[in-house]
Each structure stands twice: as C-alpha cells, then as structure tokens.
Amino acid sequence: IPGFDELLAAVAPLIVSVLAAMSCTTACSISLEGQSLWIIKSLPVSPRSVLWSKAAVNLTVLLPCIAVGSGILCAVLKPDPIGCLFLFLTPAAYSVFTALFGLVLNLLFPNFTWTNETAVIKQSVGTFVALLGGMLSAIAPIVLYFNLPGVAPALFLAGTTAVVAAISAGLFCFLRTRGAKMFAAL
C-alpha cells in the first residue's frame, strides 16, 4: 500500500503507548499489601517514598521494554530522527502517566478485604479503571490523528506527548500533597 510505511511510522509511538498504558502495576500495588499495610506504615519512611517506590517498580518494568521495542521499531521502520525520538518519548510519557494514574486510582479505590491476590489484581475497580482509562487515553490520539488530515506527524506527537506530560505533572502534584495524606490515612 503506497504511503503505509509513513503512516505506520507516524502512529507507531502511539501503538507502543497503548501497550504501555495497558501495563499498570500500580493500580493494585497498595491494595496488595492487604492486612500487612501497617508494616509499611510503621517503617520510618515517608508516604511519598512508599508511593514513589511503587511507581518506580512500574517504570522499571516498562521503560526497558519500551527502550528495546522502540529501538527495534526504529531499525525496522526507519523513521526520520524526530520520529525515532518520539518512538521513545511518547511511550515513556505514557509509562509515567500509567504509573501515577494507577497510584491515584488505588488510593481512591483501595481494597483490603480480599482473600485471594487474584481478586485484587484482576477484579478491583482501580485495576479496571486504570486499564480502560489507560487504553482510551492512548487510543484517542490515534483516532484523532486519522480525523485530522494534513497534520504533521511530528507536531501531533509533540502535542500528544506534551498533553500526557502535563497530565502526569498534575497527577504527580496530587500524589505529593493529597495522595500522601490519603496513604497515611489508610
């Protein structure tokens, strides 16, 4: 198909971002502490440190996979240097968003009354909303891109990455202030 390689190179960062947005370990990480949450809360560690460590686990899982996958996509698709840069930046921004969004949801919808870890991982409200919200937040720009003909791919990806980074900054501020208090109150 003529022009398909350019189209694929333009939306590849968003496709990788969809996969990153579906990999949220933080949406159930606080709830998994269950009845043992008091142990973490009794340690001489601030609630912020606990929250950042849970986000760091999610980023430790996602960022190396994004680096390898995006490197392979750069080699195969051969986008221009700006397109190659966004193959790394956009999914990384979505990874940060996913980690922070999952933490906020787990603070809003904690579940400590589970009897089986599978229930809190696969059947909790926070996990469902994080998975669905993450997917929709990454699929929406793909749909928008196809409905805005003539937009330069680099400009569109820059705007998408900037919006996701701004939302992540807002989530970060929420977690630093209100989120830390919510965790301390659990």
Side-chain angles (χ1 to χ4, degrees):
I1 301 174
F4 184 71
D5 54 343
E6 290 96 18
L7 176 68
L8 186 59
V11 297
L14 297 171
I15 293 170
V16 176
S17 298
V18 171
L19 300 174
M22 292 173 47
S23 305
C24 182
T25 62
T26 57
C28 61
S29 62
I30 297 169
S31 295
L32 277 174
E33 302 297 338
Q35 301 300 324
S36 302
L37 183 65
W38 68 271
I39 296 172
I40 291 177
K41 291 174 69 175
S42 67
L43 294 173
V45 177
S46 71
R48 287 181 187 171
S49 295
V50 173
L51 294 175
W52 301 151
S53 67
K54 292 186 179 296
V57 169
N58 196 30
L59 294 175
T60 303
V61 170
L62 288 177
L63 292 178
C65 294
I66 288 170
V68 171
S70 294
I72 292 170
L73 283 173
C74 279
V76 171
L77 297 176
K78 297 178 180 52
D80 60 347
I82 299 294
C84 192
L85 177 69
F86 281 116
L87 262 169
F88 291 94
L89 284 182
T90 305
Y94 269 97
S95 296
V96 172
F97 165 75
T98 300
L100 299 177
F101 184 56
L103 275 176
V104 168
L105 288 173
N106 200 203
L107 286 171
L108 293 174
F109 304 107
N111 179 7
F112 298 114
T113 59
W114 50 270
T115 55
N116 186 353
E117 291 88 2
T118 306
V120 76
I121 294 170
K122 296 189 179 266
Q123 299 170 352
S124 68
V125 173
T127 302
F128 174 74
V129 173
L131 178 68
L132 187 64
M135 273 193 325
L136 290 177
S137 71
I139 291 173
I142 296 172
V143 173
L144 185 63
Y145 179 75
F146 287 119
N147 288 315
L148 293 173
V151 175
L155 182 63
F156 184 79
L157 289 171
T160 301
T161 305
V163 167
V164 171
I167 294 170
S168 297
L171 291 171
F172 179 79
C173 290
F174 176 84
L175 285 169
R176 284 193 69 210
T177 55
R178 191 160 174 233
K181 292 176 186 173
M182 290 171 72
F183 180 79
L186 290 176

